[in-house]
Amino acid sequence: MITPIKSFNQIDIIPGSLVILDIDETVLTFPQLTKNWWKEKINYYYKILNDRELAEKQALDEWIHIAHTTNPNKLDHEAQHNFINRLYQNNCELIFLTARDRKLSSITYKHLSYIGIDKDHIVHFDENKGEKFNELLSKCYNNVENVIFVDDLTHNHQKILNATKKYNLKINLKLYHIDHDY
């Protein structure tokens, strides 16, 4: 079951959990990127180029330029700070799973640091979050019983659920769909 939330303070923390957070539009955003930015940019470039693949590449290139030239905003600032502190108090391990390309690892860690997230947290890069989720639980966190996954995109939750079923992962999984009002 996917639980819709508006704030980090709505997440129930189970002590000793592995907590996996998405990055973009979950913990941070860029001032000029609205919720509909991707759709609008792809449609804009598609009208010009008449090629969906090229339109997506142009939108991605523009996003990468923004990521390299703009400082992000922390989403749900106070609640996010309190949430991370509660994770520490409850002996949870926090990692990040982003669809960003691994080539953006340096700027990704810079963005997290800019919003006050300790650079010691591991960031995993993979567009297919379900397969990466299975890999993480199979290789790195195979003794974990409780997992909390937070993402702003419901199709990523579905990928996690599909991987859990496909690989018969025996975990207590809590999925949170965060939709910030910004």
Side-chain angles (χ1 to χ4, degrees), residues 3-168:
T3 304
I5 60 173
K6 295 279 185 194
S7 174
F8 284 98
N9 63 15
Q10 295 175 274
I11 298 173
D12 294 324
I13 296 175
I14 301 166
S17 294
L18 172 63
V19 179
I20 305 172
L21 298 180
D22 172 50
I23 296 176
D24 295 300
E25 311 311 319
T26 298
V27 296
L28 62 80
T29 191
F30 295 93
Q32 61 271 58
L33 301 182
T34 65
K35 288 184 181 192
N36 296 318
W37 186 90
W38 280 103
K39 182 179 171 183
E40 291 168 358
K41 283 296 173 180
I42 290 170
N43 287 339
Y44 169 78
Y45 286 119
Y46 182 73
K47 287 178 185 175
I48 295 169
L49 303 168
N50 203 28
D51 181 314
R52 177 65 71 193
E53 193 172 308
L54 283 175
E56 289 174 0
K57 184 188 178 320
Q58 285 297 121
L60 178 60
D61 288 347
E62 190 170 333
W63 184 92
I64 289 171
H65 174 74
I66 291 168
H68 279 284
T69 60
T70 309
N71 289 326
N73 293 333
K74 184 174 188 174
L75 290 168
D76 199 15
H77 184 82
E78 191 65 33
Q80 186 184 138
H81 177 77
N82 291 338
F83 172 71
I84 291 173
N85 284 338
R86 287 188 304 147
L87 294 179
Y88 295 145
Q89 292 166 358
N90 284 280
N91 297 314
C92 295
E93 182 159 355
L94 173 61
I95 64 172
F96 294 88
L97 178 55
T98 181
R100 288 183 180 193
D101 191 289
R102 182 172 298 287
K103 292 182 273 186
L104 296 173
S105 64
S106 177
I107 194 73
T108 299
Y109 279 101
K110 179 181 171 192
H111 290 153
L112 290 173
S113 179
Y114 183 81
I115 65 165
I117 294 177
D118 189 336
K119 63 182 175 189
D120 292 335
H121 294 292
I122 298 171
V123 178
H124 298 275
F125 299 84
D126 201 315
E127 192 170 334
N128 189 334
K129 292 186 177 185
E131 291 300 315
K132 189 64 173 185
F133 180 77
N134 174 59
E135 179 185 319
L136 290 169
L137 291 183
S138 300
K139 294 180 180 176
C140 305
Y141 302 98
N142 53 3
N143 293 327
V144 167
E145 294 178 16
N146 299 299
V147 177
I148 298 168
F149 178 78
V150 184
D151 201 303
D152 66 301
L153 297 174
T154 54
H155 72 265
N156 286 329
H157 296 99
Q158 196 57 53
K159 288 178 182 180
I160 300 298
L161 285 171
N162 292 345
T164 301
K165 291 175 188 169
K166 178 179 177 181
Y167 298 107
N168 198 25

